Amino acid sequence: MNTRLAGIGAIVAGGLLVLIGLIILVTDGDNTPSAAATTSSAAATTAPGTSSTTSAATTTAPTTASAPVTTLTTTTTTTTTTTTTTTPPTTSAVSGADVQAFVAAYASATVAGDADFLFDRLHPLVIASSDEATCRAFVEREIVTITDYRLTGPIEQTAQTFDIAGSQVTVDPLFRAEATFIFQGREVTDTALFAPVDGELRWFSVCR
């Protein structure tokens, strides 16, 4: 009796082992993906627009743009400076009567041939625009030969700028009037200019 029961138990145990083995086999076949399934799944999860090729990707370093080269052009500008000088107004009041008196003295000097007086009363700007030798020769050669020198127009007080050796010099006050005289036998009309220097009137001309 015991022997039969032991045999039946062995049979039942063997059947259970076979059943468990089948269950394990079936479960392993369902859960273990094949190589094809693994490949397919990998392909399916590739990002859109990205190649599924499994070869190593080649990364190309971005090209660094060369820094722009700036060429500086240097321009040299030459500036010419012009000096402007204004003679200070005389502290002595000079009137039209003073100009008339000087013209009378000037006319007397031409008649007397007084070259020293005429040269000494020449305005310094006239000499500065030429030189002393030229101006003295001019006075001795031409001015002393003038006769009948007189003013024939009203005396005006103004200011005037002269170009002296590249510098602009303004004379203020300046007196001017129309003058008439005889030179080399003919009557000449010109604009006479006078200006005070240290309270003493001087005359203008162009030395030649």
Side-chain angles (χ1 to χ4, degrees):
M1 182 68 175
N2 291 334
T3 303
R4 283 185 67 189
L5 289 174
I8 292 171
I11 292 172
V12 172
L16 290 174
L17 291 174
V18 171
L19 179 60
I20 292 171
L22 289 174
I23 292 173
I24 292 173
L25 178 62
V26 172
T27 304
D28 183 68
D30 291 340
N31 294 336
T32 304
S34 64
T38 302
T39 303
S40 175
S41 176
T45 56
T46 302
T50 305
S51 173
S52 62
T53 305
T54 59
S55 60
T58 302
T59 302
T60 303
T63 303
T64 302
S66 300
V69 179
T70 303
T71 302
L72 298 178
T73 302
T74 302
T75 303
T76 302
T77 303
T78 302
T79 303
T80 302
T81 303
T82 301
T83 303
T84 302
T85 304
T86 302
T87 58
T90 179
T91 55
S92 301
V94 178
S95 64
D98 296 321
V99 175
Q100 289 282 10
F102 174 74
V103 169
Y106 179 92
S108 298
T110 60
V111 173
D114 190 350
D116 290 338
F117 172 85
L118 295 170
F119 177 78
D120 290 343
R121 300 298 288 269
L122 193 60
H123 198 282
L125 288 182
V126 176
I127 298 174
S129 65
S130 182
D131 58 77
E132 288 190 11
T134 300
C135 288
R136 178 169 283 278
F138 167 66
V139 169
E140 293 176 349
R141 182 183 64 252
E142 298 186 26
I143 302 303
V144 294
T145 65
I146 290 176
T147 58
D148 197 21
Y149 188 91
R150 63 194 185 280
L151 297 183
T152 55
I155 300 171
E156 300 175 353
Q157 179 176 333
T158 183
Q160 186 168 326
T161 299
F162 297 87
D163 187 353
I164 306 297
S167 297
Q168 302 298 308
V169 181
T170 301
V171 177
D172 183 14
L174 180 83
F175 297 90
R176 65 184 176 191
E178 183 178 281
T180 301
F181 53 90
I182 303 298
F183 177 67
Q184 295 182 348
R186 61 189 181 88
E187 186 175 87
V188 178
T189 299
D190 196 6
T191 300
L193 302 177
F194 311 95
V197 176
D198 296 331
E200 185 178 69
L201 279 171
R202 306 292 185 94
W203 61 286
F204 286 80
S205 187
V206 177
C207 299
R208 57 192 180 202

